[in-house]
Every structure is written in C-alpha cells, then in structure tokens.
Amino acid sequence: MALWTLGICLLGMSLYWPVPSSADYAFSIQPADVVAINGIGIDLRCEAQAMSGFTWTYKWLQGNQVVNNNSNTRIHYNHLTSTLSIRPKGSETSYFSKGEINLYRCTASNANGTIISKAARIISGYATYFSNKSRKTLNKNEYDSLIIQSHYVAQFGLNPSITWQTGASQTSLQDINIANNGRRCIAINSDLIFANLLRSDGLTYRCRATLRNNNFETGDDGALNELTINPRTCPGNNCNSPLTVLRTSNSTVIGAFGNNIEMECIPGGLPTPSVSWCFYNPFNYQCRPIVSDSKYLLQFGNRRLLIKDIGYSDAGIYRCIMKLDAQEIKRDINLTIHTGPAWSVPFSTTTASIEDRFTWRCIAVGTPPITYRWYRNGTEISRNDSQYTFTNTYGNIIFNKLQLSDTGVYQCQATNQYKTIFSGGYLLVRSFAVVFTKSFNRNQFIQTGPNAEFECLVDGGPKPTMTYTYNGSNIGFPSNKYTSLSNGNLRINNVVIGDTGSYRCTATNRFTSNPISDTASVRVYERTQIINGPVDSNYRIQQSVVLPCNVTTDFRLRNSISVVWRRNNVTIQNNGIYRISTQYPNYELRITNGIRTISGNFSCTATASIPNLKTFSDVKSGLILFNDIPVAPSQQSINKINNTMVNMTWVFPPNGDNGSPLREFLIEYKSDFYDQVRVYRRIADTAARYVIINFSPWVIYQLRVVAVNGIGRGVPNTFITFSTKDVTAVPTGNVQNFYTRIRGIDRTALDVYWTPLSRENENGPNIGYHISHRLSGGTSFFGSRRLGNVSTAFITSLLPNRLYDIQLQAYNSDGFSPTVTVIKACTCVTVPDQAPANVTAVATSAGIRISWNAIPPHHTGGDLLGYKILFREDAINSRAFIGDVGLVLTYELRGLNVNTRYWLNVRGYNAAGDGRMSPQIQFTTTSTNTTSAPTGLKSSAISSTNVTVEWSIQGSPAYFLLQYRLRFRSDLSWRNWSRINGSYRIGTYTDLNSNTQYNLRVVALYFTLASSASTSITITTGVEPTAAQTPFYQQPWFIVLAAVSGLILIIIIVVALAMKSRKSKRHSGIAHVDSVKERAPPRPPSPKDEHEVDDVKRPPLPHEPLPHAEHVEPKHQEYIDDNSSHDSLDQYGSEHVTGCFDEDGSFIDQYGTTRSKHSESQQHILHRSASVGSSAFSTLV
C-alpha cells in the first residue's frame, strides 16, 4: 500500500516534470539527393539537433531495410554514424544500373525515442534521354519555317545540358553556335526551330544530352536528321513570308517559389521576326518592358525568357510581342506561383492525460495540395490503425483513447511535388490523482455578458470527472446555461446579475481516493466596457479632433473607475495639445491642432476596481495619423489614339502624398449633358502615370486626375476636354431595372418599367425603345411598338395567369442596339421573389430596433402588403415567433427576454403569400425589460351603448386588447371585446347595455405572447332615450282605414252616376247617338272677375237650355274641341277628358277656369282636372 501511494505521488509529480522542446526533435542536416556517375564514391550525411542531456545514435535505411551489410556491387561504410559512405567493390566503375534510383533514410535515437529523416535519392547518371533514335530525311523549300523534333524525354532527378550538332555527314558533326538573331533557336523541349530556311541549312542534324558531375560526364545522342533544301524562285525577287507562330508556352505556366522558370515565344516568317517581352498590368493597361538583368535572361533573340528565383511578386501576365514589318502578334502567358509546404501550425511537445481523446495539430500551407504522414519513434503510423483518427483537411492526428504506452517521439511529415518538411515532438502520457493546478479562490467576481467562468482549475490522469452545484442545487448537463470545461472551470453562459450565488466544484478520477472539492462565493457585476473608443483614423494636419472613450460599469464601481489614455504605450497628461475629460461616463481625449509628429497608436484603458480583490478592465485603441491631402497631379495631357480612344498621362511628384501613402488615382469627368463630376475609373496602382480610356460616341467629355491618400481626395486639377461629338453609333448597354406590374383586376394587362440607357450609351440622336412580347415558349414576338424616349409602357389584351416574355431594344438614328433585353412576366400575383436586404438589429434600452431595405418593385410579385419578422431564441427546440409589422422599413421589437440571444429573419408578403426570407442575423437583448403596461386609462366619450377610452404606453406593442366585465357579477373573469393595432392609443367599446356599470381595461400584447394589462376603470353607460310619438295619420291602422273608405266611396259614386245617366236618356228623347255628336254644346261665358270664380254655378248638362236663353258663340282660343261628345261614364272618366264629376254627380267640363293673374285681357287659362278616380280619392283625403 505504501509503495502504491508513493507511486501515485510520483505520478502526480510528473505533472511538473520538464519536457524537451519541439525544436529538439528535428534534423539540422537532412540527407540530399545525389547523382552517381562512373563509380565515384558517395557520402550521405544527416545530423539531429543537439539536445541537452541526451545523446543521439544513428542508423541508415535503404528502402525499409537497415543498412548493415554489403550488396554484391557496393560497400557501405559508417552505417551507424551520421555519415554513410558508399563505395564500389573492387575495380568496378559502374555499380549503379542505368535508370536505377535508391532511397536512403537516416534515423536518430535518444532515450525518449527515434526520429527519421526525409528520403535521399541516389540516382544513376546513366539514362536514355531520347524516345526515338530512328534516322530521318527532311525535305523543305527555301525560306520555309521548320521544326526538327528532338524526342527528348526528361529523366527524374537528372538535368543534362542540351546541344544540337550539325555537319555535312554523321562523322563531321559539330556543336551549333546559335546566333542571337532569332533565325534559329532551341525550344524548351529541346526541338531545333528555324524561323526561315536558307540553302546553307541543308545539313545533317542531331540532338545530344550531356550530364556532367565532378569532371566526369556521360551523355546520349538522339536521331540523325538529314535536311535537304529545295531552291525557290520568288516573283519579283520578293520571297517574304507572313508572320506565323511556331511555338509558345501555354497560356498558364506554373513555377515553384524560389526556383527558375522559362517561357518561350518563337515566331516564323521572312525576314526573321523580332520578339520583345513585357510585364502586363490589366488594371492600368501598362506593359513594363523586360530586358536581361539580374532577374531576367533573354536568349535566342528573345525567343526564350528565363525568370530567376521567382517569388510572389513575379506572378502575373507576361506578354510577348512578335513583329514582322507591319504585322504583329501578341501572346499573354500567365505565371502562377506554387510553393512547397511551410508550417502554419507545427505541433509541439506536449503532455496529455491517460484515456483522453487527444488531438495533435499539424497544419502546413502550400500549393498544390499537401499530403501528410505520421511517424512514431521512426516508424510510419498506418492510417488504418483503429487507435488513431486522421483528419481529411489537415494533418491532425487524433488519439482516440490515450494509453501510457503512447508516450514517445512523434513526427508529422508534409509533402507536395516541390518539397518535404518534418515537425517533431515528444508526447508524455500521464496518470495521476486529481490536483488543483492553481490555488482555489473562495471569493470570485465575474461580469455580465456572453459568458464568464467559475474558476476551479484541476488536472488529473485520466481527466477528472467534474460535478458542480449552484446555491446547493446540482447543475445538470447538457445545459444551455452551463458548460463544463476540460481544465475544470465552469463556463456560465449569458451571465446576468441573477447568477450571483454560491458555486461548488468537485473533481475525482480512478486514482483519487478522496474527491477534491471547494466552494466559492461568486458575485456578478455589470460589465465594465468601453462602448465607443478610438479607431484607426486619418486626419488632416492642424485639425482638432476628439477621440471618444465612453465607459459603462456597475453602479457599485463607478466611484472606483479610472481611465488612462496612452500614445505608443506612454501615458498622456493634460497639456496644450491634449485635454482629457474625467466626468463619468465620458472620458474623451481632445487633440488641438494635430501635427504629424503626434501620430501614433492611441489607446484608452478603463479599469474598475473592487479594492484588494478584483479589477475589471477594457481597452480600445486605434492608429491615429495626422497628414495632409496629396497635391494635384500636373502636366495632364490627352493623346488621341482613334476617334473614341485616348491615352491620358500625368505627372505626380515623389513626395506629393504629404506623408500619407497614396491609395489610388481617380479619373474624374463630366460631360455636355451631365454637369455633375463623376469617377470614370479608379487606378489602384499608385505608380501608374497613364491610362487608356475608351469613350462613348456623341459626347463632349471633360477629364481630370485626382490623387487620393489616407486623408482624402487631393487638390482637384483643371479639366481638359475631349470630344466624340462627330462620331455616332447604335446604342450599347442594357437597360436597367426592367420589370413589370399587373394592370387591372382582370389580369389582362401589364405595366412595363425600365431605367433608360445612360447618355454615354445612347451613342447618337433620336434615342427610343422598341417593345414586343410573346407567350413564354413561343417562337416569335408580336405586338411590336416603337415607344420613343420613354421609360414606361403598357401591354393589353393578354391572357390572365400566363407567363410572357417581354423584349426591349434601344434604337437611335443609326439603328437598333445589338443588345436585346428579355424578361419573364406573369399576368398573375406571385410571392415576392427577393428577400429584404441589409437587415440589421440594434439593441437599445427601449427594445430591438430592426431595419431593412425595401424589396425592389420588380421583385414584389404584385402589390406588397407588408413585412413579417420571424425570430426565436438561440436555444434548442426554442419556439419561433412571427410578427406582421405592416408596410414599414423599421420596427422596434419589444417584450423579449433580457440578456438573451435571438435569431431573426424578415420577409415580405402579398396576396399570393409570403416571400423569401432574409439571411438570418443574430442579436442579444440588454438587461432592460422592454415589456410595458398601458397607463392613464380614461374614458373620453360615453353614450348609452358606446364608450371611447384613451391611454398611453412606453413604446408600442404588437396589439392592444380591449377587455371588459360587468361590475356586479359573481363571474370576475375578463372578456375580450376587440383587438386593435399597437400604434393606436384610443379604442371604442360598442353595443353595450345602457345604464350599466362596467369595468374596463386595456392589455398590451407582444409578438412573443408576452402581455401586460393596465389598471381597470369603472364606467356607467347612459340611459336609453324615450322613443318619439308618431302622429295618428302616420299610424298604419289609419292609412289602411282611409284606403278602404275611399274605395267604398268610389264604388258608390260610380253606381250613382250610372243610374242618373240612364234617367237622363229617358227624358231627352234622343234616339241616336250620332245626332248628339254633330252638336257641341256652347261654352258658357267665363266669370267676370277673379273673385267671382267661387260663385260659378254648375253648368247645365248638354240637354238643358242655356241660362237667359242667350246664345254665345264660343271663341276658338277659349276652348278645346274634342270633335265628339260621348254621354258615357267611360268617356268622362278617361284621363284624356278635361273634366270630372261634382259631388252631386253632375259633370264639370272646362268651366273651372280662372283668369290669369298676369294678363289684363279677357283670355282664359284652361285647367285640366284629374281623372275621376284620383279626384274622388283626393277629395276624400
């Protein structure tokens, strides 16, 4: 038992054992590749970095076999040292076969483990370099171009020199001395190329590859090529041939960082073409000429370009320009730089606990992609070993469950086609009882915010099992509120003041007999932080500036807060230049008349202290520079290239940036149709001094160059003018914002909108637009119209709910634009196909202020009805809420949980439904509760059935709910009356009972379903007014009685008249009706005066004699002659007869006339009476 306890103690002490650094487990000298020729002895050397207290021993491996014996043809010496010597046996001079490659590795071991070197290749110098050695006969014409193929094949690790030989025969071949005029050259693949052939070129040719090493050489010869030249006669002795391209490098060439790279550009033609090279900048169209110097080497009349020791700055476009008289051909070759691997995160020596799942990181960067291998004590770890997991992206290795036997030396190897590198380290796996790695603090202080940690730093092997309590209650996992960390600490998420309390941690493992634990009092303070601090800024010299430092802290610490300003880590004191505010919460630094020498890094540090216990700090810093704007470029000029293209140049002095580095040049312009200055082009290359500009036709331009540095735009220059007014062309460019909207509710018409072409794209006079349409999928467009210079149109007679193609094309006096814009449009309402952009959420004390950009009209799919916000807490299985906020672009969201992180989306909707959602954004609420209740509820108008109430509230909820209850009822529950918009502050209860007491209140409802009710008020509705008395003659009973009485009276009158008519016929003795018709009774005279009208007697009936037996001849204008007289009731009762019956049954003809009040003559005005039925009824009523 004592020994076991001692062992545990020793294992615990291992926590503090020193471990060698990772740099120790590496080779300071790696074995290098060697080419073996003619039996020369070979020495391979390696050396591990020295380690204090450790001795290295070495072994060599050939392939995977330890070198400890001699082969049949070679002897190994010193195979147990850092230098391996290889010698031939006896008198043999060639102990490596042709094409043989051998791999050798070195291993170095010490007491902790073994490391292994990269593989060194011993390559035989004897090789066959040509794939085809068959003799060839070539027959060409004089002045033709020619390529003689070498059939050279490169061999791995060998780099022979290539020469061409020529002579009259095979036995007289000599090396060709290729002149630098470019007529003949050797291509990169070793072919011999003639730009043009002369008669003297008719010889025998052969390619030779020679490998030299330490005064020894070996070589290989290619095929013999016998060339015959046929003489050529040219018309007019002009044998010139056109410029052709015989050989160029690929459009993209890849070079390895630090190596050399070659490019070629070989033309043909007569006379011999010239070749030049330049480095092309596509941003400013400059091409910097290339000449032979320490960086570049031009060979074979500039046909081949060698770039030495390439770096990242050499990447780009290399342009070769081939010229023959007036002919010119350009080829662009893009150089891409690849690199061998370099360590981004090399792994290091480390310790880990038994049974841990442990990840050892090993990350390198380089191109092309890198492959990784892992070694343990010099032996490669198989990727199929279930003890480990290898990541696919990087070289990390994961130990699934560490054991003590995993202790050892490990290496990570990173390789691509250019390089192999190693990183090594020692892993110590420990097992020991749990211990505190830092003295436990029983009084801990943390701040509100996203998270903080209850400190309980422990370690053990295996890793300790942790348990925690808060105010005596166990903390369960998994949890959104708490996270147990591997070092023993407890992370508290979304820390609020309410997290103050007593925390206890307990740690144990299988080697711990008694778990260790302790308790701390954790107090939470509001976070001390700088809300707004200095940021990187550029200011103009002599400018006075204010650097902000707005601080917030816990109210308990405000008296202890201190703020220090520093410049370049030196404390700033108040003086004539600096003035520091010291009033909480504003601690700004004011700089008066800033000068260049005070530029530097300015920092503000705010510290709040709990005396002798804890300090909370926050720092904000920024680089503040005082400089001046740049000077104006000088010597602006425009050199015309053609009618619409110019080369604009300028001069800028070396110190013109005024201390702030240039950022760009601006080419600014205005035109004859748009006087506002605009930026034509931004030139980021501050070394540029010219730019090629291609203008639009039919415009007068004014241009200038402006320099920009970190302070801002420099002094503007004067404008220079260039005109293209004498040039016209068809329009160019696309119309923008081309979209449609439904017109009318029947969905058979579309309104079409677009933004017209800019004036630069009109290119000539009489601009207009041509529109046409078709059903989608149709073959041809119809309904074509020329619209003139407009930006809207409408299309009618469409089919509803169908998809159409709408085509728009610009035209001017020169013709139609080659660009035709086509969009799809639907005679239907579709959901918005675009989400609101630039959604932001800013937490304030009043709530979350959400804002977004409106959906463009051509993406709304119809009339947009409004926007909806969708939000949820950042928690597992949290509920999502949706709020319809109407047709607004900002909304203040209230009623959320405090100190909580939320996710938010916004989307628009129309009659067809909801559109696309915006990208999800995140925000965190403050510690302020933004749920408010309505206050000041009062009634503003009361009637017998209606009550209007008013109230106020801080902010706006989603809705208000009007509630009521009868005051004197046993059921005291509130009943909902109506829901109104949250922007209102007035509401009305309707259809209430009169003369009744009610309790009323208003409830604020939020999208989160949170609610808050106002205090209630009591009201009494008014008394219902008495109904007004209806007059008797308007009562239904009276109207019915009058109607019935009138009907009876009419019947009686009709019967009486009928009887009297029969009696009159019996007394008259008139036998025939016709004799009566022939005689019209004379009309009696009218009354003399108006006042006599009332005394007129009943006129006699037709058979009675006239009074006084006088006959009065009727005047024509004084009566109406009906030409007939029917002694019948039907005639008298007709609506066409101008008379009626009196009450005694006698007939009243046209005698009821009165004299006109407006005439002095004796003329009478005739009045027609109503028909019999209506007259009788009127008399009765």
Side-chain angles (χ1 to χ4, degrees), residues 615-835:
T615 59
F616 300 117
S617 297
D618 192 20
V619 179
K620 290 286 191 300
S621 64
L623 181 63
I624 309 300
L625 301 176
F626 288 91
N627 288 300
D628 207 349
I629 60 174
V631 301
S634 60
Q635 300 182 35
Q636 295 180 135
S637 66
I638 289 180
N639 303 307
K640 184 176 179 180
I641 298 175
N642 57 37
N643 287 334
T644 59
M645 183 179 291
V646 300
N647 177 19
M648 185 174 184
T649 63
W650 63 91
V651 174
F652 192 77
N655 297 322
D657 59 7
N658 281 329
S660 178
L662 285 183
R663 292 186 175 178
E664 60 184 351
F665 287 106
L666 304 179
I667 308 300
E668 295 183 338
Y669 78 105
K670 58 183 181 177
S671 65
D672 58 332
F673 61 88
Y674 196 74
D675 195 52
Q676 182 177 346
V677 178
R678 291 172 288 170
V679 175
Y680 180 84
R681 182 173 296 166
R682 296 179 180 272
I683 302 175
D685 184 0
T686 56
R689 296 296 181 268
Y690 78 94
V691 62
I692 305 297
I693 303 175
N694 198 357
F695 293 113
S696 297
W698 207 57
V699 181
I700 300 175
Y701 290 93
Q702 295 184 69
L703 299 103
R704 69 184 180 191
V705 184
V706 178
V708 181
N709 65 6
I711 305 301
R713 296 175 71 254
V715 178
N717 229 322
T718 57
F719 284 101
I720 53 179
T721 302
F722 181 78
S723 175
T724 62
K725 206 68 177 179
D726 55 345
V727 182
T728 60
V730 297
T732 56
N734 286 318
V735 295
Q736 302 297 317
N737 300 321
F738 186 19
Y739 66 96
T740 64
R741 299 289 295 273
I742 297 175
R743 189 180 204 188
I745 60 175
D746 57 355
R747 301 182 183 179
T748 59
L750 290 172
D751 284 319
V752 187
Y753 305 89
W754 66 91
T755 300
L757 294 179
S758 67
R759 180 61 176 75
E760 287 97 337
N761 289 331
E762 290 182 7
N763 296 343
N766 301 321
I767 190 70
Y769 299 91
H770 179 268
I771 194 169
S772 56
H773 64 279
R774 70 181 179 192
L775 280 168
S776 284
T779 57
S780 60
F781 286 87
F782 53 89
S784 299
R785 288 181 291 161
R786 289 196 178 197
L787 303 174
N789 190 12
V790 297
S791 59
T792 62
F794 65 90
I795 304 173
T796 59
S797 302
L798 303 177
L799 299 175
N801 301 314
R802 299 294 294 272
L803 195 63
Y804 283 86
D805 297 330
I806 312 297
Q807 177 177 279
L808 193 67
Q809 186 177 18
Y811 64 86
N812 63 13
S813 296
D814 281 29
F816 281 91
S817 168
T819 303
V820 179
T821 306
V822 180
I823 62 170
K824 290 193 178 298
C826 186
T827 54
C828 58
V829 178
T830 61
V831 297
D833 62 1
Q834 182 172 309

Side-chain angles (χ1 to χ4, degrees), residues 811-876:
Y811 64 86
N812 63 13
S813 296
D814 281 29
F816 281 91
S817 168
T819 303
V820 179
T821 306
V822 180
I823 62 170
K824 290 193 178 298
C826 186
T827 54
C828 58
V829 178
T830 61
V831 297
D833 62 1
Q834 182 172 309
N838 297 328
V839 179
T840 61
V842 179
T844 67
S845 59
I848 304 299
R849 181 167 295 278
I850 306 167
S851 62
W852 57 90
N853 292 353
I855 299 174
H858 50 293
H859 289 290
T860 59
D863 291 334
L864 197 66
L865 299 181
Y867 294 91
K868 295 180 182 179
I869 56 174
L870 299 86
F871 59 97
R872 63 175 178 83
E873 290 186 21
D874 184 18
I876 299 175

Side-chain angles (χ1 to χ4, degrees), residues 26-32 45-49 106 117:
F27 283 94
S28 56
I29 300 176
Q30 291 275 9
R45 186 164 180 261
C46 71
E47 186 173 312
Q49 291 186 11
C106 169
S117 72

